[in-house]
Tab-separated table of all heavy atoms in Angstrom:
chain	number	residue	atom	x	y	z
A	27	PRO	N	108.900	80.369	-14.924
A	27	PRO	CA	107.722	80.145	-14.108
A	27	PRO	C	106.456	80.299	-14.936
A	27	PRO	O	106.350	81.148	-15.807
A	27	PRO	CB	107.810	81.226	-13.015
A	27	PRO	CG	109.252	81.638	-12.995
A	27	PRO	CD	109.746	81.456	-14.400
A	28	ALA	N	105.467	79.426	-14.619
A	28	ALA	CA	104.221	79.471	-15.353
A	28	ALA	C	103.367	80.634	-14.949
A	28	ALA	O	102.513	81.084	-15.709
A	28	ALA	CB	103.461	78.163	-15.141
A	29	ALA	N	103.565	81.138	-13.758
A	29	ALA	CA	102.712	82.243	-13.263
A	29	ALA	C	103.290	83.581	-13.683
A	29	ALA	O	104.401	83.677	-14.204
A	29	ALA	CB	102.591	82.144	-11.723
A	30	LEU	N	102.560	84.632	-13.427
A	30	LEU	CA	102.977	85.977	-13.738
A	30	LEU	C	103.954	86.488	-12.702
A	30	LEU	O	103.789	86.244	-11.502
A	30	LEU	CB	101.769	86.886	-13.859
A	30	LEU	CG	100.695	86.449	-14.822
A	30	LEU	CD1	99.506	87.401	-14.790
A	30	LEU	CD2	101.237	86.348	-16.233
A	31	THR	N	104.952	87.252	-13.127
A	31	THR	CA	105.999	87.727	-12.239
A	31	THR	C	106.365	89.173	-12.630
A	31	THR	O	106.335	89.519	-13.806
A	31	THR	CB	107.241	86.847	-12.362
A	31	THR	OG1	106.894	85.504	-12.202
A	31	THR	CG2	108.266	87.224	-11.314
A	32	ARG	N	106.697	89.968	-11.637
A	32	ARG	CA	107.153	91.322	-11.906
A	32	ARG	C	108.156	91.741	-10.834
A	32	ARG	O	107.941	91.471	-9.668
A	32	ARG	CB	105.988	92.311	-11.963
A	32	ARG	CG	106.438	93.777	-12.004
A	32	ARG	CD	105.323	94.729	-12.313
A	32	ARG	NE	104.906	94.613	-13.702
A	32	ARG	CZ	103.965	95.385	-14.236
A	32	ARG	NH1	103.342	96.269	-13.492
A	32	ARG	NH2	103.640	95.264	-15.518
A	33	LEU	N	109.197	92.432	-11.278
A	33	LEU	CA	110.184	92.994	-10.363
A	33	LEU	C	110.198	94.508	-10.555
A	33	LEU	O	110.339	95.020	-11.627
A	33	LEU	CB	111.592	92.445	-10.644
A	33	LEU	CG	112.758	93.119	-9.943
A	33	LEU	CD1	112.660	92.854	-8.445
A	33	LEU	CD2	114.079	92.636	-10.467
A	34	ILE	N	110.018	95.251	-9.461
A	34	ILE	CA	110.066	96.721	-9.457
A	34	ILE	C	111.248	97.120	-8.576
A	34	ILE	O	111.303	96.768	-7.398
A	34	ILE	CB	108.746	97.301	-8.890
A	34	ILE	CG1	107.553	96.780	-9.682
A	34	ILE	CG2	108.788	98.816	-8.922
A	34	ILE	CD1	106.217	97.134	-9.089
A	35	ARG	N	112.192	97.821	-9.179
A	35	ARG	CA	113.448	98.112	-8.495
A	35	ARG	C	113.766	99.597	-8.605
A	35	ARG	O	113.537	100.234	-9.617
A	35	ARG	CB	114.585	97.303	-9.095
A	35	ARG	CG	115.942	97.547	-8.462
A	35	ARG	CD	117.003	96.667	-9.072
A	35	ARG	NE	117.286	97.048	-10.445
A	35	ARG	CZ	118.229	97.955	-10.783
A	35	ARG	NH1	118.942	98.566	-9.823
A	35	ARG	NH2	118.459	98.250	-12.025
A	36	TYR	N	114.383	100.131	-7.515
A	36	TYR	CA	114.974	101.457	-7.545
A	36	TYR	C	116.251	101.372	-6.735
A	36	TYR	O	116.234	101.183	-5.502
A	36	TYR	CB	114.028	102.507	-6.931
A	36	TYR	CG	114.550	103.921	-7.068
A	36	TYR	CD1	114.358	104.643	-8.216
A	36	TYR	CD2	115.283	104.511	-6.044
A	36	TYR	CE1	114.827	105.945	-8.360
A	36	TYR	CE2	115.768	105.800	-6.157
A	36	TYR	CZ	115.564	106.508	-7.337
A	36	TYR	OH	116.009	107.751	-7.466
A	37	ALA	N	117.406	101.497	-7.383
A	37	ALA	CA	118.725	101.327	-6.766
A	37	ALA	C	118.798	99.902	-6.136
A	37	ALA	O	118.637	98.924	-6.864
A	37	ALA	CB	118.984	102.438	-5.750
A	38	ASP	N	119.024	99.826	-4.846
A	38	ASP	CA	119.125	98.488	-4.204
A	38	ASP	C	117.867	98.075	-3.510
A	38	ASP	O	117.865	97.072	-2.807
A	38	ASP	CB	120.310	98.485	-3.224
A	38	ASP	CG	120.117	99.519	-2.111
A	38	ASP	OD1	119.318	100.434	-2.288
A	38	ASP	OD2	120.796	99.404	-1.069
A	39	ASP	N	116.783	98.824	-3.650
A	39	ASP	CA	115.495	98.473	-3.051
A	39	ASP	C	114.605	97.912	-4.172
A	39	ASP	O	114.510	98.519	-5.245
A	39	ASP	CB	114.810	99.667	-2.416
A	39	ASP	CG	115.588	100.181	-1.209
A	39	ASP	OD1	116.274	99.385	-0.577
A	39	ASP	OD2	115.486	101.398	-0.895
A	40	PHE	N	113.949	96.795	-3.884
A	40	PHE	CA	113.095	96.186	-4.948
A	40	PHE	C	111.958	95.402	-4.273
A	40	PHE	O	112.049	94.950	-3.117
A	40	PHE	CB	113.889	95.288	-5.876
A	40	PHE	CG	114.572	94.115	-5.209
A	40	PHE	CD1	113.929	92.905	-5.102
A	40	PHE	CD2	115.852	94.244	-4.713
A	40	PHE	CE1	114.572	91.814	-4.503
A	40	PHE	CE2	116.500	93.171	-4.126
A	40	PHE	CZ	115.848	91.953	-4.028
A	41	VAL	N	110.895	95.274	-5.026
A	41	VAL	CA	109.730	94.495	-4.653
A	41	VAL	C	109.513	93.473	-5.793
A	41	VAL	O	109.473	93.856	-6.964
A	41	VAL	CB	108.481	95.359	-4.480
A	41	VAL	CG1	107.254	94.496	-4.225
A	41	VAL	CG2	108.652	96.364	-3.355
Side-chain angles (χ1 to χ4, degrees):
L30 304 178
T31 309
R32 170 169 288 182
L33 171 67
I34 304 171
R35 179 178 70 89
Y36 186 84
D38 60 342
D39 294 332
F40 61 91
V41 175

